[in-house]
Amino acid sequence: MQQIIYFFLRNKNFLLFFVLFLISLGLTINSHSYHTNQFVDSANFVSGGIYSLKSSVTDYFDLKEQNSKLAEENRLLQLQLQNLKVQVPQLDSENLPDSLVSIIGAKVINNSYSKTKNQLTINKGEKEGVTIDMGVISPEGIVGIVSHLSNHYASVQSILNTNSQVVAKFKKSNHFGTLVWNAQNPGEVQLKEIPRVANVALGDTIVTDGRSTIFPEGILIGTVKDFSIEEVGDYYNINVRLFTDMTSVKHVYLLSRKDAQEIKELEKEAEDVE
């Protein structure tokens, strides 16, 4: 014990300097957006490498289940393609219409779902064409939105994040509201601002509305699990059971609307006129 005390006494000046240096570094990062972004990007790079190594080990023991999921996904995609060919016989690889959405495939290498502000880390970044605010989906439905980038990795703000807000609607009626999460159940989210005049039933399908430049219209979200009417107000309280199992998501797709920039510029011009 005496040795420890002597150590602190001998090095008190250095230790004081080191503590003050850490405090000043923290204040600098928190008070300047540029330093904050640089710090987050660097952290993403380091943690991304660690998560990749961890993911490689866990994936080895999860191959059978993931291969089954990929096989089922391919089966469904083939089914949709065949149905499309039946509806439009002249459709082939030579005359496919230009898509308004570009897609990048990625793998989840780290995922949290038990916190209040959950994030996922994926193995694609700026070098692979990923940008901030890209929508992220799984083969089953919505996952989240890209929030931070490094060269080869990206952080995704999960739908299971109390800061997350997505415009969603009923597939059958087009009544729309805001999708949020109350931090209670990782299998459920809440749909707010649906007026009581809307016809709501258990099992109704909820999809993205398409009013934002992040998600195109019609991306699957989940189904109505239960609902009630607010004691004060004219809106429903709706719990939505997610299609995507956020506790085991592995393979995701990043969506980018090709008309997003044009829409943003037009809306900015309209705001400037006002």
Side-chain angles (χ1 to χ4, degrees):
M1 186 66 182
Q2 273 189 326
Q3 294 297 325
I4 297 176
I5 295 173
Y6 288 151
F7 172 80
F8 282 107
L9 289 175
R10 285 197 306 268
N11 299 280
K12 61 181 183 297
N13 292 332
F14 171 78
L15 292 173
L16 178 61
F17 167 79
F18 186 69
V19 170
L20 292 175
F21 172 76
L22 290 179
I23 293 173
S24 62
L25 183 62
L27 292 174
T28 300
I29 291 174
N30 287 328
S31 61
H32 295 82
S33 59
Y34 172 78
H35 294 93
T36 301
N37 290 334
Q38 290 296 105
F39 177 78
V40 170
D41 289 346
S42 299
N44 276 346
F45 176 78
V46 174
S47 60
I50 297 172
Y51 291 148
S52 288
L53 180 61
K54 170 190 168 186
S55 179
S56 298
V57 175
T58 55
D59 284 352
Y60 177 80
F61 297 99
D62 198 29
L63 283 177
K64 185 176 180 180
E65 180 183 352
Q66 293 303 319
N67 285 337
S68 297
K69 286 185 177 181
L70 287 174
E72 177 63 11
E73 178 188 345
N74 288 334
R75 184 189 72 80
L76 293 174
L77 289 173
Q78 285 297 326
L79 180 61
Q80 293 175 16
L81 179 60
Q82 295 306 316
N83 287 335
L84 185 59
K85 286 181 178 179
V86 170
Q87 296 171 23
V88 190
Q90 75 276 17
L91 190 65
D92 56 40
S93 59
E94 297 299 322
N95 59 11
L96 283 171
D98 290 336
S99 173
L100 286 176
V101 178
S102 61
I103 300 177
I104 300 173
K107 186 172 72 172
V108 176
I109 59 175
N110 192 53
N111 178 25
S112 65
Y113 48 84
S114 59
K115 305 174 183 178
T116 58
K117 293 178 173 56
N118 294 295
Q119 299 277 338
L120 303 93
T121 305
I122 59 176
N123 67 340
K124 294 292 175 68
E126 195 169 8
K127 294 290 186 180
E128 289 80 23
V130 179
T131 58
I132 299 294
D133 286 342
M134 289 184 83
V136 182
I137 65 172
S138 75
E140 292 79 28
I142 192 172
V143 170
I145 300 171
V146 174
S147 58
H148 294 90
L149 284 176
S150 64
N151 283 338
H152 299 291
Y153 301 98
S155 292
V156 177
Q157 180 175 288
S158 171
I159 193 69
L160 303 181
N161 189 308
T162 52
N163 288 336
S164 177
Q165 293 189 346
V166 174
V167 182
K169 69 174 184 176
F170 283 82
K171 185 177 181 181
K172 69 177 185 181
S173 68
N174 288 326
H175 281 101
F176 68 92
T178 303
L179 203 71
V180 298
W181 187 52
N182 63 9
Q184 294 183 12
N185 187 334
E188 297 175 11
V189 291
Q190 288 65 50
L191 184 58
K192 302 293 185 180
E193 301 167 2
I194 299 296
R196 64 189 305 166
V197 297
N199 180 19
V200 179
L202 297 179
D204 282 347
T205 299
I206 307 300
V207 299
T208 55
D209 181 76
R211 292 171 188 266
S212 75
T213 56
I214 297 176
F215 291 104
E217 182 180 0
I219 300 296
L220 292 174
I221 295 174
T223 57
V224 174
K225 179 191 175 187
D226 56 62
F227 61 92
S228 62
I229 296 179
E230 294 178 350
E231 294 182 4
V232 180
D234 295 320
Y235 296 96
Y236 283 100
N237 292 314
I238 302 175
N239 286 319
V240 178
R241 180 183 289 110
L242 292 170
F243 285 128
T244 299
D245 182 357
M246 294 298 295
T247 66
S248 65
V249 61
K250 279 287 184 182
H251 299 278
V252 295
Y253 301 99
L254 289 82
L255 307 179
S256 176
R257 289 185 55 163
K258 295 180 179 179
D259 58 354
Q261 189 60 36
E262 181 180 351
I263 293 173
K264 288 179 180 178
E265 290 176 357
L266 179 63
E267 291 177 345
K268 186 177 185 305
E269 288 181 9
E271 289 177 359
D272 290 342
V273 170
E274 294 177 358

